[in-house]
Amino acid sequence: RLIVPSAPGGAPDVLMRALAAQLSVQMGVAFVIDNKPGGSYTIGTMDLVRSPPDGYTLAYGNVVSLATNRALLPNIPYDIDRDLTLISNAVRVVNLMVVNNNVPVKTVQELISYAKKNPGKLAFASDGNGTTAHLGVELFKSMTGTYMLHVPYRAATAAFTDLIGGGVQLMMVNSPVAGPHAQAGRVRALGISGSQRSPTYPEIPTIAESGVPGFEVVAWGGLVGPANMPKEIVTRLNTEIRTALATPAVKERFRALGAETDPSTPEEFRELSRRETEKWARVVKFSGAKVD
């Protein structure tokens, strides 16, 4: 069982299904995706925490559950160091900043100017508190001196539906979710959150090159297990994950979705969690972001 603590159809769900399909082939055992959205990833993560550490229940752990929650949630119900076994990172995804087609801006600089002239008029959606869709815009606000209202949703798909319909005006969301809509003209893409342009969307400038130097937001995630998993099981799973991520089928599937494979050792995965926790804690403190 692979717990994905977000709704079906979002980037984590789509990417983990691709990885799970390859792992099923390699290991000769079916991987069943179990979507458990809500609570800023805490509902699905707590299900994992309460599971036996035998290697048969895993979960998708990412920048939310392994980093931003520590800074954002006053009473986080799990301790990453005590309750979880980090097995391997798997994916890196940049975000696209997109706006509803009726918003009168076509560039990041025009957005900054419009937001400053109309403080609070723009509402931005996210797929939950603490996600990069939420804190990425908080970082943008802090670096540009703008103010926009945060509207959290339970799922990226629901948020995007409202963005297209005009219920909210802006979103900074994983490129696998936003990219196809931007290419189809349903929303307007202003910038990409990585430090370099995406090979999937080379025509979209980075936010950093569009007048916000140093801006970078990358979503990441991989597989975690309950605490006290035997070392031999962790080693076997890490090897299988790395092998799966190296296959042409998985690499191409990830690339088609605007993502990159990014395997790691368990130790590297834990260090990534630590670094990102420190980064986003500074953003939360500076912005005053709270769970709504």
Side-chain angles (χ1 to χ4, degrees):
R1 187 166 66 110
L2 176 52
I3 301 166
V4 177
S6 61
D13 176 67
V14 175
L15 293 165
M16 287 303 100
R17 286 180 188 276
L19 176 58
Q22 179 60 37
L23 288 172
S24 295
V25 172
Q26 287 176 198
M27 302 179 70
V29 60
F31 275 68
V32 178
I33 301 294
D34 187 1
N35 295 95
K36 295 212 165 182
S40 295
Y41 275 63
T42 59
I43 293 174
T45 302
M46 286 307 297
D47 187 0
L48 177 75
V49 168
R50 291 188 285 264
S51 300
D54 56 8
Y56 285 95
T57 303
L58 306 173
Y60 176 69
N62 69 350
V63 62
V64 178
S65 58
L66 302 179
T68 64
N69 275 355
R70 287 203 253 199
L72 198 61
L73 300 183
N75 298 301
I76 183 171
Y78 58 89
D79 182 283
I80 294 167
D81 298 320
R82 182 192 65 218
D83 298 328
L84 297 173
T85 298
L86 275 61
I87 300 169
S88 175
N89 193 44
V91 61
R92 281 172 50 93
V93 182
V94 293
N95 286 2
L96 290 181
M97 176 178 278
V98 292
V99 294
N100 175 272
N101 285 328
N102 291 325
V103 177
V105 302
K106 293 184 178 179
T107 68
V108 169
Q109 278 300 315
E110 288 180 2
L111 172 68
I112 294 170
S113 177
Y114 182 82
K116 285 183 175 180
K117 292 176 182 175
N118 300 275
K121 185 174 180 179
L122 294 175
F124 74 94
S126 79
D127 52 343
N129 291 293
T131 62
T132 55
H134 169 208
L135 293 183
V137 180
E138 295 292 353
L139 176 62
F140 180 83
K141 288 162 56 179
S142 71
M143 294 178 72
T144 59
T146 55
Y147 174 72
M148 293 173 275
L149 177 68
H150 177 219
V151 183
Y153 289 73
R154 286 176 60 87
T157 48
F160 219 91
T161 298
D162 270 9
L163 175 68
I164 294 170
V168 290
Q169 288 75 51
L170 179 141
M171 197 169 181
M172 183 185 292
V173 67
N174 294 165
S175 57
V177 174
H181 293 287
Q183 289 180 322
R186 288 185 284 270
V187 294
R188 183 181 304 128
L190 304 183
I192 202 158
S193 70
S195 59
Q196 298 178 333
R197 293 197 183 200
S198 166
T200 309
Y201 309 105
E203 73 283 2
I204 302 175
T206 67
I207 294 170
E209 75 180 85
S210 301
V212 193
F215 184 90
E216 182 180 15
V217 174
V218 177
W220 49 266
L223 296 191
V224 299
N228 303 315
M229 286 180 65
K231 185 176 181 180
E232 60 270 21
I233 293 178
V234 175
T235 300
R236 166 79 191 282
L237 287 168
N238 181 269
T239 300
E240 295 286 359
I241 292 164
R242 294 168 76 93
T243 299
L245 292 171
T247 61
V250 172
K251 290 177 78 73
E252 182 54 40
R253 179 62 174 151
F254 275 37
R255 191 178 300 113
L257 293 166
E260 300 175 31
T261 57
D262 188 30
S264 72
T265 65
E267 294 75 22
E268 290 169 340
F269 197 16
R270 194 165 287 280
E271 174 61 16
L272 174 64
S273 169
R274 186 195 65 77
R275 288 198 316 270
E276 287 282 282
T277 296
E278 293 180 355
K279 171 183 176 176
W280 292 114
R282 291 193 295 270
V283 173
V284 169
K285 183 178 180 179
F286 184 88
S287 69
K290 294 181 174 64
V291 174
D292 298 329

